[in-house]
């Protein structure tokens, strides 16, 4: 395996077959050996391979089997707000209106949720920082415990204006911003769009958001049309995100073990004690 | 790290792609999510949509109303019997309410051949009573299977009128009145 990695190396080693036969045990006994850094292209190549392999399959992490339409229905994900609260841009995602109650189209929700979970899994696999945001006080604790269980971050309090846009001054120079922001509810406490959506778009951070029938889905990168008010629905979302992120991180550990890459601190705060095997 | 803060112009992806293309962001510095987005793009590009200011832009209803054929039966039931005596238990997904039982019985009787709407309503009501569900008509006391004892309906005034017309003497009527 190490031999194969070296053949693809960028520094263009040349070695003879005879030499490899003579020294089967490793990379540092080649005839044309002396190079200042033989292990680095090897590690970089393998890391690249680890990173690109999941992109080849449509559903590498098999997130589609984590939920079914019946689960969404039982968790009351299809229940929207009343007709008067409806946002113009949510109309394509609605199935219909039953006695002035908007009903969200669960077929579309299935597809959107699958895309969103798949994206989250890939980001977690690559060691990205994920931030959970929700300004609903009813679910603040739930969101925070979910983030803790995945080893990620949550922000369920007042969003200060310059949190993302002025991060270098508020938190010090060279802050690493989140690579994905997940909104369990895209509205703030006064039923306006959460500032974080606009700020994430400004800072070129992709977002995943649960959009209810009174929300604006235009700026959310991967919107998931669904109910964000019922506890059953929000618990379902939290469970699904937690399972995908843990699955992705476990998969990454597995891949690193398979390819014999020393598990470096690609993710400094990956809490091993909270691994969940689902 | 270079960036572009124009959230109303293009999507996150198009801005980063153009920055990479123009060389402002080096390929080594490209964000984590870029390749993932490229391979698995969302169904709709997250472009900013300008809010429509003129209220008379478009008024057509794109979201259809949801109605079922059983709704006619349900309206008939609720008009006649009000809200129903048994409360709906929404926590159970397989719960059958009084109205639903009425609808099922109605359809069953209709499939047996009865065609007249009013008779169907009566028959369904009676069938449900046989099964033990009491239905109360709006504004009236509960419907009973057998009629009341006629003795209970007798009023004192009517009795007295009968007695007087029968021609009894005043002493007996006063005795009746006192007792």
């Amino acid at each position: 395996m190490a031999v194969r990695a070296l053949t693809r190396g960028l520094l263009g080693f040349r070695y003879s077959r005879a030499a490899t036969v003579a020294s089967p045990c490793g990379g540092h006994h080649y005839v044309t050996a002396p190079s200042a850094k033989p292990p680095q292209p090897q590690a970089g190549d393998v890391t690249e391979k680890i990173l690109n392999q999941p992109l080849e399959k449509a559903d590498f992490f098999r997130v589609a089997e984590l939920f079914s339409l019946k689960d969404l229905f039982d968790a009351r994900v299809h229940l929207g707000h009343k007709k008067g609260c409806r946002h113009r841009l949510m109309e394509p995602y609605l199935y219909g209106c039953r006695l002035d109650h908007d009903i969200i189209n669960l077929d579309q929700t299935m597809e959107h949720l699958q895309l969103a979970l798949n994206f989250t899994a890939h980001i977690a696999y690559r060691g990205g920082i994920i931030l959970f945001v929700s300004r609903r006080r009813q679910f603040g604790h739930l969101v925070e415990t979910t983030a803790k269980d995945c080893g990620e971050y949550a922000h369920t309090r007042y969003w200060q204006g310059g949190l993302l846009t002025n991060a270098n001054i508020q938190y010090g120079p060279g802050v690493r911003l989140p690579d994905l922001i997940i909104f369990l509810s895209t509205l703030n406490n006064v039923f306006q769009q959460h500032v974080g959506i606009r700020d994430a778009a400004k800072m070129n951070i992709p977002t995943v958001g649960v959009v209810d029938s009174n929300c604006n889905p235009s700026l959310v990168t991967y919107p998931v049309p669904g109910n964000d008010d019922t506890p059953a629905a929000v618990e379902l979302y939290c469970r699904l995100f937690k399972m995908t992120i843990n699955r992705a991180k476990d998969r990454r550990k597995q891949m690193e073990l398979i390819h014999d890459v020393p598990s470096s601190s690609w993710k400094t705060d990956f809490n091993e004690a909270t691994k969940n095997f689902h | 790290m270079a960036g572009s803060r124009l959230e109303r112009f293009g999507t996150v992806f198009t801005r980063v792609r153009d920055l990479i293309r123009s060389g402002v962001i080096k390929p080594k510095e490209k964000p984590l999510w870029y390749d993932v987005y490229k391979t698995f793009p969302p169904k709709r590009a997250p472009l900013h949509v300008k809010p429509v200011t003129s209220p008379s832009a478009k008024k057509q209803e794109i979201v259809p109303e949801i109605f079922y054929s059983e709704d006619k039966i349900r309206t008939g039931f609720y008009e006649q019997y009000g809200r129903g005596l048994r409360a709906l238990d929404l926590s159970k997904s397989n719960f059958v309410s009084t109205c639903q039982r009425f609808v099922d019985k109605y359809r069953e009787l209709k499939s047996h051949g009865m065609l007249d709407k009013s008779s169907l309503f009566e028959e369904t009501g009676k069938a449900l009573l046989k099964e033990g569900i009491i239905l109360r008509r709006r504004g009236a006391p509960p419907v009973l299977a057998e009629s009341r004892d006629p003795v209970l309906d007798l009023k004192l005034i009517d009795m007295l009128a009968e007695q007087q017309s029968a021609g009894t003497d005043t002493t007996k009527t006063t005795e009746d009145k006192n007792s």
Side-chain angles (χ1 to χ4, degrees):
Chain A
M1 215 186 303
V3 169
R4 264 192 283 128
L6 270 168
T7 54
R8 278 192 271 115
L10 302 166
L11 298 182
F13 276 88
R14 266 192 282 128
Y15 67 99
S16 55
R17 281 199 160 240
T20 49
V21 165
S23 56
C25 62
H28 26 269
H29 295 300
Y30 287 99
V31 174
T32 54
S35 166
K37 28 184 184 168
Q40 233 178 28
Q42 178 185 358
D45 250 347
V46 177
T47 322
E48 222 180 273
K49 185 177 165 205
I50 294 179
L51 288 179
N52 290 333
Q53 194 175 345
L55 295 178
E56 288 154 22
K57 277 205 212 157
D59 195 3
F60 185 77
F61 300 99
R62 299 204 311 269
V63 292
E65 55 186 46
L66 287 175
F67 62 97
S68 67
L69 205 138
K70 183 152 194 328
D71 293 336
L72 294 182
F73 184 82
D74 288 335
R76 277 98 77 181
V77 166
H78 59 291
L79 299 174
H81 288 270
K82 285 265 202 174
K83 192 160 107 175
C85 299
R86 189 194 299 166
H87 199 280
R88 177 177 65 96
L89 297 168
M90 282 301 289
E91 276 165 13
Y93 300 117
L94 294 179
Y95 179 76
C97 188
R98 170 73 169 163
L99 302 173
D100 278 3
H101 264 98
D102 283 335
I103 307 292
I104 296 167
N105 191 342
L106 284 182
D107 295 319
Q108 290 193 30
T109 305
M110 289 276 284
E111 293 166 349
H112 282 90
L113 189 57
Q114 202 264 322
L115 278 172
L117 289 175
N118 186 42
F119 189 79
T120 319
H122 280 276
I123 298 284
Y125 180 85
R126 284 157 178 254
I129 293 183
I130 298 176
L131 183 68
F132 285 88
V133 175
S134 166
R135 199 57 182 102
R136 292 200 64 112
R137 285 135 93 174
Q138 194 180 4
F139 308 119
H141 181 73
L142 174 68
V143 171
E144 287 179 352
T145 42
T146 311
K148 201 165 161 190
D149 291 337
C150 319
E152 297 294 347
Y153 304 85
H155 184 97
T156 53
R157 312 290 157 141
Y158 177 71
W159 183 280
Q160 272 202 314
L163 207 86
L164 293 179
T165 42
N166 206 16
N168 281 322
I169 296 173
Q170 283 192 355
Y171 293 100
V175 191
R176 185 175 162 189
L177 288 179
D179 300 299
L180 172 67
I181 303 185
I182 300 180
F183 285 91
L184 270 310
S185 164
T186 52
L187 297 180
N188 61 14
N189 283 344
V190 276
F191 300 102
Q192 288 166 347
Q193 197 185 36
H194 200 287
V195 177
I197 298 179
R198 195 207 64 190
D199 280 358
K202 272 187 183 286
M203 305 305 290
N204 297 330
I205 299 171
T207 43
V208 164
V210 176
V211 281
D212 205 346
S213 65
N214 57 349
C215 305
N216 183 355
S218 59
L219 273 182
V220 182
T221 324
Y222 290 88
V224 177
N227 189 4
D228 62 2
D229 304 290
T230 314
V234 177
E235 277 166 16
L236 175 81
Y237 301 133
C238 285
R239 208 184 71 229
L240 288 175
F241 281 118
K242 184 166 68 171
M243 277 158 77
T244 28
I245 294 173
N246 284 328
R247 221 185 235 207
K249 288 186 177 172
D250 292 339
R251 207 55 197 275
R252 177 63 186 252
K253 282 234 123 184
Q254 250 179 22
M255 295 287 262
E256 285 189 339
L257 283 170
I258 291 170
H259 293 269
D260 291 328
V261 173
S263 66
S264 48
S265 59
W266 55 274
K267 191 68 199 292
T268 47
D269 24 35
F270 173 30
N271 192 353
E272 298 204 24
T274 57
K275 254 196 303 199
N276 286 320
F277 289 97
H278 291 283
Chain B
M1 173 71 175
S4 156
R5 293 198 180 190
L6 311 161
E7 84 272 12
R8 273 173 263 187
F9 192 80
T11 71
V12 184
F13 179 70
T14 53
R15 274 176 266 138
V16 173
R17 183 198 66 199
D18 294 339
L19 283 171
I20 293 174
R21 224 187 256 174
S22 66
V24 179
I25 297 182
K26 307 278 177 290
K28 265 187 297 192
E29 288 171 11
K30 79 176 168 198
L32 217 84
W33 52 268
Y34 185 80
D35 290 321
V36 188
Y37 188 113
K38 212 154 112 182
T39 330
F40 305 110
K43 287 187 147 246
R44 176 201 162 261
L47 284 162
H48 177 261
V49 176
K50 286 202 182 86
V52 173
T53 44
S54 56
S56 60
K58 58 170 179 175
K59 285 283 183 183
Q60 70 251 43
E61 281 290 317
I62 306 169
V63 180
E65 300 265 351
I66 300 174
F67 285 121
Y68 302 102
S69 52
E70 296 102 334
D71 285 345
K72 287 187 210 150
I73 312 167
R74 286 186 188 128
T75 37
F77 172 85
Y78 283 119
E79 263 174 31
Q80 220 180 36
Y81 297 112
R83 262 178 296 147
L85 289 174
R86 196 157 70 123
L88 295 156
D89 186 2
L90 292 172
S91 55
K92 287 187 260 181
S93 53
N94 57 351
F95 180 78
V96 182
S97 64
T98 324
C99 181
Q100 190 56 37
R101 291 188 76 164
F102 186 93
V103 166
D104 294 334
K105 187 56 64 158
Y106 187 101
R107 297 189 107 197
E108 204 187 297
L109 291 174
K110 193 163 182 187
S111 66
H112 285 321
M114 262 194 265
L115 290 169
D116 189 13
K117 197 173 170 186
S118 50
S119 68
L120 267 172
F121 258 75
E122 299 279 326
E123 293 301 315
T124 331
K126 284 186 198 153
L128 280 179
L129 282 164
K130 272 187 225 152
E131 282 173 21
I133 305 166
I134 303 170
L135 299 163
R136 182 191 297 193
R137 267 175 212 263
R138 258 200 191 165
V143 175
L144 291 176
E146 73 286 331
S147 52
R148 280 159 66 94
D149 195 354
V151 173
L152 296 167
D153 282 331
L154 281 176
K155 284 190 190 162
L156 199 59
I157 300 168
D158 296 335
M159 270 163 62
L160 292 169
E162 268 181 37
Q163 296 269 343
Q164 276 188 334
S165 59
T168 48
D169 52 338
T170 49
T171 49
K172 219 181 179 184
T173 42
T174 44
E175 271 178 27
D176 281 335
K177 259 196 208 166
N178 287 336
S179 67

